[in-house]
Amino acid sequence: MSSSVEAARTALLRAGSVAVLTGAGVSAESGIPTFRSNGGYWRTHRFEDLATPQGFARDPKFVWEWYEERRRSIASATPNAGHAALVELERRVRRFTLNTQNMDGLHDLAGSKNIVKLHGDIWVLRCTRCRRERVDRTVLRELPPYCECGGMLRPGVVWFGEMLPEGAMERASDAVHNADVVIVAGTSARVYPAAGLIPPAMERGTAAIEINPEATDFSSDVTFSLRGPSAEILPMLIMDGGNYGS
Ligand code: OAD
């Protein structure tokens, strides 16, 4: 395992196909709290109450108040230099897939195109009765909100114990399987099935670059473990010109 940004950049420059897995840490420098690090949501909130179908069934208003508070704070956040660096990488590499566990929409806002949203999208509202979905970025005045069909709406995110959006894992696994380089940025890699994308790549010998200020369970097994905030490291890795896939 190497900690050299320079060596990781050289490996990346050779890649014709890149798959990325991001987590909450990528949005930390946009002012959005993570889940498990210091100041993370799950340090002070019970995920069982806020991020499970059972919690929602027990008290939908309580769950919605938390999501609405998050929606309001995310609405005033802007993408950071790490998000921008991934947009640049997508422009320059032949094949690129951005698999994200983030539901904040900042990768879209930055301009990333080929995104697989493994955990859904906080800006999507889904009807619990007719299942219709719509994107809604407005402030929700009545909580819980209701659909025109009379059914209660829920946040379009994935909760613990739920299936991932149809086809999402297949797309993500395919991208990782076909990648020359895999980048894992800003995730504790503790939540499955998303975290399960990493080991097969390493078993195949695909170069893996991890970016995280802290060590994770995978840090000693990846090819490059770059310690630091993604808003600093991703631009160092990507912005410096060069032709990819050569
Ligand atoms: P976590 O909160 O588990 O992990 C965030 C990671 O980001 C940690 O490893 C931090 O060390 C790292 N980090 C902190 N600041 C950073 C920075 N500036 N730059 C880069 N990395 C930084 O968040 P996730 O791994 O995204 O799911 O969590 C996965 C899932 O668990 C979430 O999607 C959510 C959560 O419960 C659901 O709600 C289903």
Side-chain angles (χ1 to χ4, degrees):
M1 184 269 291
S2 156
S3 58
S4 159
V5 178
E6 194 53 51
R9 186 163 53 212
T10 304
L12 188 57
L13 277 169
R14 288 199 205 104
S17 174
V18 177
V20 182
L21 173 66
T22 63
V26 162
S27 295
E29 273 133 307
S30 295
I32 301 172
T34 64
F35 293 93
R36 293 175 185 78
S37 23
N38 274 341
Y41 289 119
W42 302 152
R43 296 284 182 110
T44 49
H45 295 67
R46 279 170 46 87
F47 77 85
E48 297 89 339
D49 294 337
L50 295 167
T52 61
Q54 295 80 2
F56 186 67
R58 263 196 310 273
D59 195 343
K61 188 163 193 290
F62 178 71
V63 172
W64 258 117
E65 280 166 356
W66 187 64
Y67 277 94
E68 183 54 14
E69 198 182 302
R70 285 179 64 201
R71 285 164 56 96
R72 286 184 199 195
S73 79
I74 294 168
S76 59
T78 49
N80 62 53
H83 295 105
L86 291 174
V87 176
E88 180 65 17
L89 181 60
E90 182 168 15
R91 281 200 198 108
R92 285 162 49 190
V93 79
R94 223 169 25 246
R95 281 205 294 180
F96 177 90
T97 308
L98 176 46
N99 307 298
T100 187
Q101 298 162 89
N102 298 348
M103 39 198 111
D104 56 30
L106 290 187
H107 284 306
D108 313 57
L109 210 56
S112 288
K113 300 281 182 254
N114 194 26
I115 308 176
V116 179
K117 293 182 184 177
L118 296 164
H119 291 169
D121 187 329
I122 202 163
W123 301 110
V124 170
L125 309 185
R126 185 163 73 244
C127 179
T128 54
R129 185 189 288 173
C130 72
R131 310 272 157 210
R132 229 178 4 205
E133 292 190 345
R134 67 161 201 264
V135 174
D136 187 332
R137 289 183 158 264
T138 62
V139 170
L140 302 173
R141 300 195 184 281
E142 299 272 326
L143 297 177
Y146 283 88
C147 177
E148 294 105 55
C149 82
M152 190 187 289
L153 293 166
R154 58 161 283 176
V157 302
V158 174
W159 285 325
F160 288 96
E162 292 188 318
M163 304 287 281
L164 267 47
E166 207 186 328
M169 261 323 269
E170 289 76 5
R171 276 181 70 200
S173 304
D174 264 14
V176 170
H177 186 85
N178 293 309
D180 303 318
V181 171
V182 173
I183 299 175
V184 180
T187 176
S188 61
R190 303 241 314 260
V191 173
Y192 286 77
L197 291 165
I198 308 168
M202 292 191 304
E203 280 154 25
R204 267 195 309 278
T206 307
I209 305 172
E210 183 182 60
I211 299 162
N212 200 310
E214 312 277 336
T216 71
D217 290 348
F218 292 105
S219 298
S220 51
D221 300 326
V222 292
T223 326
F224 304 98
S225 172
L226 311 180
R227 293 284 166 83
S230 50
E232 270 175 38
I233 306 277
L234 279 169
M236 285 163 69
L237 196 63
I238 292 159
M239 291 300 187
D240 280 27
N243 293 317
Y244 283 79
S246 50

